[in-house]
Amino acid sequence: MDRGVVVSARLSASVIVFVAACAGAALAETEFRLELPAPDAALSRALSQVSLSREAAGNKEADAQDLFGAARADYARLIGALYDEGRYGGTVSILIDGREAATIAPMDAPARIGKVEIRVDPGPVFRFSRATIGPLAPVTQLPPSFRVSEVARSSAIVAATGNGVSAWRDAGHAKAAVARQTITADHRNQELAAEIALDPGPQAWFGTLQMTGNERLRSARLAKIAGFPSGEVFSPAALEEVRNRLRRTGIFSAVTLTEADTLRDGRLLDGELTVVEAKLRRLGFGAEVSTSDGGKLSGYWLHRNLLGGGEKLRLDAEVSGVGVGSGGTDYSFGARLDRPATFSPDTAAFLKTEIAREHEDDYTLSGYGLSFGLSHIFSAKLSAEAGIGYEWAKIEDGAGELIYRQMTFPMSATWENRNLPADATRGTYAKLDLMPFYGLGTTGSGARLQGDFRAYRGFGANDRFVLAGRAQIGGVFGSDLAETPRDYLFYSGGGGTVRGQPYQALGVRELQGGTLHTGGTRFVGLSAELRAGVTEKIGVVAFYDAGYISASDFFGDGGDWHSGAGLGLRYKTPIGPIRLDVAAPVDGSTGDGPQLYLGIGQAF
């Protein structure tokens, strides 16, 4: 095929795309035109999208030298775009103030450019007269467009070649490659013959991993965390798993894993790993405020490699309920130590503890807990955790003082499939927590179940509109209400459940003959939001929340519902959107008047 540049003859029935831009003193005003012999909106759009001249002409900071360089580069880009449309007989002419750009020597580049004209004669559409590739691995999926009589798009040839090589690599042939490629254009019959020969090469097994760059992390621990599958049949997916394991530890700021250029002993593929360790320590903080929940300040301190084996220590502190009219200020402090690659590369061991002092409307809690266990990552989307712990709490309320002590067996599973967890526009999220507990002394025994399920769907250009939904469910089973630790019970109201209703406004009155307000053993929360982008940074939200609490069953006569609705503003920042919501009660007897919520990140 001839990829040369041909200056086109005079064109008729022009389709013109016009862009004018101011580009500083050297480029006062540049006019851009793209002309075709006949109207073709799709082709005009495809050519415009790859043109660097169009982009430079619309850039106010581009000068004449930038535009000249873009024009010379456009010959190859536009020819490539024509090939992708199945047009192999086209011509391209690029005129700079009437002079063909290809004929202007680089040293004679103009100091000022007033007009750039691109004239394209696309020529006829070619179709495949032959489309063969082989030998193919058994599971190869070729693109439907790579077949006889289809439009001979260059992208179809590229896709077929890539799929053929990838299928052999997936089958363990690490050095599969293209052995020969013959592409012949028949201009008389407007046909293209494509013949691609593949060389699968021998099946390969993983060899050894060469590691460099680790300074504080011990090499033995780096190898354990990476989990390079030495001795197993080669798989590109296995290599990507190694990369993902290293990245999610948070120990490294950069991870590069490459394959050796050749097979050792004709069948072993060694890996070459280079890492750059991140700073050892990190400090973070957050803040939220609402008229019902009060203010909340939180912060953490993180050490990424405490003992040289990748151990991660995180200390968290939180003060909430600041300035709230009822209850009081709550305090909590927690510490968690994680050791990656325990028992297997995808399994981590953890030890955590927490102490807390909470002032709620109906009780005051002082307590602590200690637990240890294992977490496992099953895939990029699914992870789980299980452990054993001990908790102690002293409850002070209108009935006096109670002590709760229990052994706990917490388990959780998390499904994360959102495109952007902090500001999702599509995908799903689910977390299910199950905690059986065995009471000591007067504390009851049973299990606490809690679920959080979220879904997102974007609409319009760049997901300008997003419909988001959330469902929460909770229950305590097996223990009587009076014997259940008070912080295991459920309330509704506030920023985490029903906006527009006061914080923890909805509970039950079951204890002490129905005179003591407390949490329920059943909870359901429903939330829906419609998010709309006004500008690139600013968005608006309309939302509705509802909550249900009961001491007996789900959706029975013994429970109560309440709800709230409102509007909000969002301002996007690098750390997540700043959230401002104003909500008011819609249904129920627990609230009166609007509530204001301010924080960082979406409500869910």
Side-chain angles (χ1 to χ4, degrees):
M1 294 178 292
D2 183 8
R3 294 183 64 101
V5 176
V6 180
V7 178
S8 63
R10 185 171 181 175
L11 304 176
S12 61
S14 296
V15 176
I16 299 175
V17 178
F18 175 85
V19 176
C22 295
L27 186 59
E29 183 177 337
T30 301
E31 179 182 329
F32 174 83
R33 292 178 181 270
L34 171 64
E35 300 181 352
L36 298 173
D40 190 329
L43 180 58
S44 178
R45 183 167 52 252
L47 294 171
S48 295
Q49 287 175 347
V50 302
S51 173
L52 295 177
S53 300
R54 179 193 61 83
E55 183 178 343
N59 184 356
K60 295 181 179 181
E61 297 182 0
D63 58 20
Q65 189 64 40
D66 296 330
L67 197 52
F68 177 68
R72 291 179 64 90
D74 266 352
Y75 287 107
R77 295 176 66 88
L78 293 170
I79 289 292
L82 289 175
Y83 286 0
D84 196 37
E85 296 293 325
R87 299 174 183 268
Y88 296 90
T91 61
V92 174
S93 174
I94 303 176
L95 303 178
I96 295 178
D97 291 330
R99 299 170 61 193
E100 189 69 37
T103 65
I104 303 175
M107 298 302 294
D108 295 332
R112 181 185 179 280
I113 297 176
K115 185 177 183 179
V116 176
E117 297 175 88
I118 296 180
R119 300 174 180 177
V120 178
D121 183 353
V125 174
F126 284 58
R127 294 185 178 274
F128 284 116
S129 61
R130 186 171 178 80
T132 62
I133 182 172
L136 295 175
V139 294
T140 307
Q141 293 184 348
L142 295 179
S145 56
F146 186 71
R147 63 181 59 176
V148 174
S149 298
E150 292 290 330
V151 174
R153 301 180 186 277
S154 60
S155 57
I157 302 174
V158 172
T161 304
N163 290 3
V165 171
S166 295
W168 277 119
R169 282 174 55 81
D170 290 340
H173 296 255
K175 296 304 178 182
V178 177
R180 186 179 66 261
Q181 182 173 275
T182 303
I183 300 175
T184 306
D186 182 348
H187 290 267
R188 177 178 298 178
N189 296 311
Q190 298 162 17
E191 292 179 336
L192 191 79
E195 299 178 74
I196 303 166
L198 300 180
D199 178 13
Q203 191 174 45
W205 282 259
F206 284 112
T208 59
L209 181 65
Q210 307 298 323
M211 301 174 296
T212 59
N214 56 306
E215 299 176 356
R216 295 180 292 265
L217 181 66
R218 298 190 299 273
S219 295
R221 288 294 297 155
L222 175 58
K224 182 71 173 178
I225 294 170
F228 189 75
S230 298
E232 296 183 12
V233 175
F234 169 80
S235 165
L239 279 181
E240 191 59 30
E241 286 182 8
V242 173
R243 295 186 183 98
N244 289 335
R245 290 189 192 109
L246 295 168
R247 289 167 183 155
R248 67 181 174 234
T249 63
I251 300 173
F252 311 105
S253 59
V255 174
T256 303
L257 177 61
T258 58
E259 304 171 19
D261 294 334
T262 59
L263 297 179
R264 179 164 53 86
D265 298 332
R267 67 185 188 91
L268 296 178
L269 181 70
D270 295 329
E272 299 174 2
L273 172 65
T274 301
V275 297
V276 178
E277 294 181 348
K279 293 181 179 180
L280 278 178
R281 299 167 184 84
R282 183 177 180 181
L283 187 66
F285 67 93
E288 294 184 21
V289 64
S290 75
T291 52
S292 62
D293 305 9
K296 180 170 74 173
L297 298 175
S298 60
Y300 70 88
W301 178 85
L302 177 68
H303 195 295
R304 304 177 193 269
N305 188 16
L306 187 66
L307 303 175
E311 300 86 359
K312 181 170 64 178
L313 174 64
R314 175 168 171 147
L315 307 179
D316 286 272
E318 181 178 288
V319 180
S320 59
V322 179
V324 72
S326 58
T329 303
D330 302 332
Y331 307 90
S332 67
F333 176 81
R336 175 167 173 144
L337 179 64
D338 286 89
R339 181 182 186 270
T342 301
F343 304 122
S344 81
D346 295 313
T347 305
F350 66 86
L351 174 67
K352 65 178 181 179
T353 185
E354 183 179 13
I355 57 176
R357 174 77 171 175
E358 300 177 2
H359 297 85
E360 307 298 348
D361 285 347
D362 51 319
Y363 70 90
T364 298
L365 177 148
S366 302
Y368 67 87
L370 177 68
S371 65
F372 66 91
L374 299 173
S375 61
H376 186 79
I377 296 176
F378 294 94
S379 69
K381 300 176 183 178
L382 180 63
S383 61
E385 192 172 280
I388 183 172
Y390 171 80
E391 292 183 0
W392 177 94
K394 180 175 70 173
I395 300 294
E396 301 170 82
D397 58 20
E401 183 177 292
L402 290 172
I403 301 295
Y404 292 99
R405 297 179 296 125
Q406 61 273 359
M407 296 296 299
T408 62
F409 307 90
M411 296 172 280
S412 68
T414 303
W415 171 265
E416 176 60 87
N417 192 31
R418 294 173 291 182
N419 61 331
L420 296 170
D423 190 12
T425 60
R426 59 183 180 274
T428 55
Y429 168 87
K431 185 175 183 181
L432 192 64
D433 294 285
L434 175 63
M435 187 175 66
F437 58 93
Y438 178 76
L440 304 174
T442 59
T443 305
S445 299
R448 187 179 193 266
L449 177 68
Q450 188 169 12
D452 187 354
F453 310 94
R454 310 176 190 182
Y456 307 84
R457 177 69 183 276
F459 301 90
N462 300 317
D463 292 331
R464 180 182 176 187
F465 301 95
V466 178
L467 184 62
R470 182 186 192 185
Q472 299 180 79
I473 187 169
V476 176
F477 306 92
S479 66
D480 293 337
L481 184 66
E483 298 176 344
T484 301
R486 296 290 287 277
D487 55 330
Y488 284 16
L489 301 176
F490 298 93
Y491 297 84
S492 181
T497 51
V498 179
R499 288 163 288 182
Q501 296 286 351
Y503 176 65
Q504 293 191 352
L506 184 60
V508 298
R509 292 189 179 275
E510 297 286 336
L511 303 179
Q512 301 297 315
T515 62
L516 183 62
H517 179 267
T518 187
T521 57
R522 304 291 188 272
F523 162 66
V524 175
L526 302 172
S527 297
E529 287 193 351
L530 177 60
R531 304 169 184 171
V534 178
T535 68
E536 188 174 323
K537 294 286 188 181
I538 298 175
V540 295
V541 175
F543 58 86
Y544 179 88
D545 301 333
Y548 170 86
I549 296 291
S550 171
S552 55
D553 54 14
F554 291 106
F555 311 115
D557 295 335
D560 290 312
W561 284 91
H562 68 170
S563 61
L567 299 173
L569 286 174
R570 303 290 185 268
Y571 182 80
K572 291 187 177 181
T573 71
I575 60 174
I578 297 176
R579 179 180 78 255
L580 173 62
D581 290 335
V582 179
V586 173
D587 188 34
S589 59
T590 54
D592 183 22
Q595 306 285 344
L596 180 68
Y597 305 88
L598 178 64
I600 298 176
Q602 296 285 3
F604 61 88

